[in-house]
Amino acid sequence: QSVLTQPPSASGTPGQRVTISCSGSSSNIGSNYVYWYQQLPGTAPKLLIYRNDQRPSGVPDRFSGSRSGTSASLAISGLRSEDEADYYCAAWDDSLSEVFGGGTKLTVL
Amino acid sequence: QVQLQESGPGLVKPSETLSLTCTVSGYSIGSGYFWGWIRQPPGKGLEWIGSISHSGSSYYNPSLKSRVTISLDTSKNYFSLKVTSVAAADTAMYYCARDFESYGSGSFNFWGQGTLVTVSS
């Protein structure tokens, strides 16, 4: 059971905009930065969003992040087939541990 | 370009110690940043194990703290993970990674390819 809560699955059609939610508490999302990762099948995770809403260089602006209170979300616009992957949110928790969401499997229909 | 590569036994017996090494190229680990270990059981999500600073200060996931040690060798440019008293629940893909932020944010932007460790007799 993960500290951060994500929906297990999400889906969309090419070109559509999809949003993945991540719910936490005051000790993690509510007081620390949120990060998002994309994990393609059989590969290591890739940092997609840092400090709630910032994109590392090379990440398309189709990906955006936001945080409000103890929740965060990742939005993907102009959905493409290559976006089909698992997505994880993460945040530092004041219990002195990095915590992850359980992951959301995104299917492009 | 920073590159990381995990190495170590792929099979460990229950109650024994799991030992992995992460060799880093393209950056001197003693120069800065935090270096971490993350694991992922087959078909499941990610779990942060712990991190170590370039100066050797380490911190661990409280749920694993009693069994985990992370150390680094700056002369050979690698850092290591030891997990004692392993059980089947420790079977996972183990990744080493470099923290994205120099202060140790717990987020990682350079990852190794991962190494699968199976705990079985």
Side-chain angles (χ1 to χ4, degrees):
Chain A
Q1 188 171 346
S2 303
V3 175
L4 305 180
T5 301
Q6 296 180 238
S9 64
S11 63
T13 57
Q16 200 173 20
R17 182 178 187 271
V18 297
T19 301
I20 298 171
S21 62
C22 176
S23 178
S25 68
S26 58
S27 65
N28 41 66
I29 293 178
S31 54
N32 298 293
Y33 290 128
V34 178
Y35 302 85
W36 288 91
Y37 296 90
Q38 176 193 59
Q39 187 175 32
L40 298 170
T43 69
K46 171 189 173 184
L47 185 64
L48 213 55
I49 296 290
Y50 69 99
R51 295 192 183 185
N52 303 329
D53 57 10
Q54 303 299 301
R55 285 185 306 277
S57 62
V59 174
D61 59 7
R62 301 187 297 106
F63 296 90
S64 62
S66 64
R67 182 188 73 170
S68 178
T70 59
S71 295
S73 62
L74 173 72
I76 309 171
S77 59
L79 196 62
R80 298 182 178 184
S81 58
E82 57 260 38
D83 297 333
E84 189 159 288
D86 294 326
Y87 292 85
Y88 294 91
C89 59
W92 183 253
D93 190 281
D94 293 340
S95 64
L96 301 182
S97 179
E98 182 73 4
V99 291
F100 288 92
T104 298
K105 183 177 183 61
L106 175 63
T107 301
V108 180
L109 302 170
Chain B
Q1 178 75 341
V2 180
Q3 293 184 313
L4 300 94
Q5 177 69 58
E6 305 88 351
S7 59
L11 181 65
V12 182
K13 290 182 169 55
S15 80
E16 295 190 344
T17 296
L18 178 162
S19 296
L20 297 175
T21 294
C22 181
T23 302
V24 180
S25 59
Y27 188 86
S28 174
I29 65 172
S31 296
Y33 288 94
F34 282 67
W35 306 84
W37 289 94
I38 303 95
R39 70 181 184 179
Q40 184 173 32
K44 297 188 178 181
L46 301 166
E47 180 179 36
W48 174 75
I49 299 171
S51 295
I52 189 166
S53 72
H54 63 94
S55 59
S57 299
S58 56
Y59 56 110
Y60 307 116
N61 186 322
S63 69
L64 298 168
K65 187 175 183 178
S66 64
R67 299 193 294 126
V68 170
T69 302
I70 298 175
S71 59
L72 78 169
D73 187 326
T74 55
S75 65
K76 296 180 181 177
N77 220 43
Y78 70 77
F79 61 107
S80 301
L81 169 71
K82 290 189 187 299
V83 182
T84 62
S85 304
V86 298
D90 294 307
T91 293
M93 183 72 78
Y94 284 77
Y95 294 100
C96 62
R98 192 188 86 169
D99 204 293
F100 178 67
E101 315 249 30
S102 60
Y103 63 81
S105 63
S107 65
F108 303 95
N109 64 329
F110 290 107
W111 293 69
Q113 64 184 28
T115 187
L116 180 63
V117 178
T118 301
V119 178
S120 175
S121 56

